[in-house]
Amino acid sequence: MNDKPFECDATALQDQLKESIGCQARVECVERLTSTNTVLKRNALESHDKFLLAGQQSSGVGRRGSVWQSPPEGNLYLSYCFHTETSLADLSLLPLAFALAIADRVESEFAVDVKIKWPNDLFVGGKKCGGILLETVSLSGDSAHQRTAVIVGVGINVASHPSYQSIERLTTALQAHVDSPMSLSQVALLVMTAIVEVCRLETTQVRRRLALYWPRRDLLLNLPVRVPMLGDGFGIARGLSLDGGLQVEFRGALETVYAGEVTLGHVESKEGGSA
């Protein structure tokens, strides 16, 4: 293994966030830990408006408990915690919105075509490049003002990616699609800015963005997909439902899927990903 030095400077990233978008979030960079999401969840009450980045994770976690490989090879393992009174139903839209905002900023910065495989996997060149995991922790409060700690984790293959043999999935790294050298700090700042941007939106604005811009990013739209929970055979993906589910035309009916495996052709796609 050719370990790459962890190049993220917390103070510099914090200053850049403040200067570029007026964000006062705390930023912490750690060489190695279990999982950025796990650490912020454990300290959720004290972690409001905090970013945590790691050079390596020993127990990175993807969606539905899957393993997110996190070697010290120049990739992004990042989580952000914030407190909110937004309902859990509305929070379910955030992984989609985060994926959309991150894809927009990465494409704008590096001129690469980024697609999103529902609900929140980032694809470049037909291969998975990153993923997002959103978790919540209930905080104290009465029924009318229940506060929730939201932890969003983002994992992006920047400099390297796992082999097909190790995870049985086609993956890629951003650097493979960009001619000029890119730094981990550069990608981290893009992702952090995208996350803050989404957190500042009202739920109505999130819904409007998804309605307008998701179709162009949708890797599955109008293509045959296999959804085991619906039964044997293929359906046709028909985009997002209003509450963020995947609509699938299956055996003459339009079904809405909220969890489970979705496979498109050669894409092995247990939904997943993140720090």
Side-chain angles (χ1 to χ4, degrees):
M1 181 181 294
N2 181 25
D3 294 1
K4 293 182 179 294
F6 187 38
E7 61 183 39
C8 287
D9 182 323
T11 300
L13 286 171
Q14 193 166 289
D15 290 345
Q16 287 172 306
L17 276 175
K18 183 176 181 180
E19 181 179 349
S20 61
I21 57 173
C23 175
Q24 302 287 340
R26 292 171 290 159
V27 180
E28 181 180 0
C29 297
V30 179
E31 188 74 33
R32 187 178 189 274
L33 44 65
T34 54
S35 159
T36 53
N37 259 41
T38 299
V39 171
L40 288 183
K41 280 179 63 180
R42 186 170 60 238
N43 303 292
L45 193 61
E46 299 82 24
S47 296
H48 173 60
D49 203 18
K50 178 178 179 178
F51 284 98
L52 178 62
L53 294 80
Q56 178 185 8
Q57 297 181 124
S58 59
S59 304
V61 181
R63 284 182 59 87
R64 304 173 70 214
S66 61
V67 175
W68 183 271
Q69 293 195 9
S70 312
E73 296 181 348
N75 294 329
L76 182 69
Y77 317 121
L78 171 155
S79 294
Y80 176 64
C81 178
F82 65 99
H83 296 175
T84 181
E85 293 184 7
T86 302
S87 70
L88 291 179
D90 289 338
L91 288 177
S92 68
L93 297 173
L94 287 185
L96 307 166
F98 287 134
L100 191 62
I102 291 169
D104 286 346
R105 287 193 173 268
V106 169
E107 182 174 289
S108 177
E109 180 74 13
F110 300 115
V112 292
D113 183 22
V114 184
K115 297 296 185 185
I116 304 171
K117 181 195 159 296
W118 179 90
N120 47 32
D121 284 346
L122 304 174
F123 274 67
V124 178
K127 300 177 182 179
K128 184 174 177 178
C129 188
I132 297 166
L133 172 68
L134 189 138
E135 300 182 276
T136 60
V137 177
S138 294
L139 304 175
S140 59
D142 57 46
S143 57
H145 300 284
Q146 178 62 51
R147 292 185 65 77
T148 300
V150 179
I151 300 93
V152 52
V154 180
I156 295 181
N157 299 329
V158 178
S160 65
H161 64 90
S163 67
Y164 180 84
Q165 290 75 14
S166 65
I167 61 172
E168 297 185 344
R169 184 185 314 225
L170 294 172
T171 60
T172 190
L174 274 181
Q175 186 63 78
H177 304 268
V178 179
D179 293 333
S180 58
M182 59 173 51
S183 72
L184 185 58
S185 292
Q186 182 182 16
V187 178
L189 184 62
L190 289 175
V191 170
M192 294 162 75
T193 302
I195 289 173
V196 172
E197 173 190 5
V198 171
C199 290
R200 290 174 171 175
L201 298 176
E202 300 290 338
T203 299
T204 54
Q205 294 174 302
V206 170
R207 292 183 186 277
R208 188 178 305 117
R209 280 196 178 194
L210 291 174
L212 288 174
Y213 304 119
W214 183 271
R216 187 176 80 83
R217 298 279 181 206
D218 192 345
L219 182 73
L220 307 179
L221 186 61
N222 296 327
L223 294 176
V225 293
R226 188 185 296 276
V227 186
M229 68 177 298
L230 294 181
D232 294 333
F234 282 88
I236 304 296
R238 297 302 190 193
L240 291 181
S241 63
L242 292 177
D243 55 357
L246 174 66
Q247 296 187 109
V248 180
E249 187 179 327
F250 187 77
R251 296 178 183 173
L254 192 63
E255 306 284 354
T256 303
V257 177
Y258 295 99
E261 298 182 9
V262 179
T263 303
L264 167 62
H266 68 280
V267 178
E268 174 66 22
S269 62
K270 286 185 179 179
E271 35 169 10
S274 101

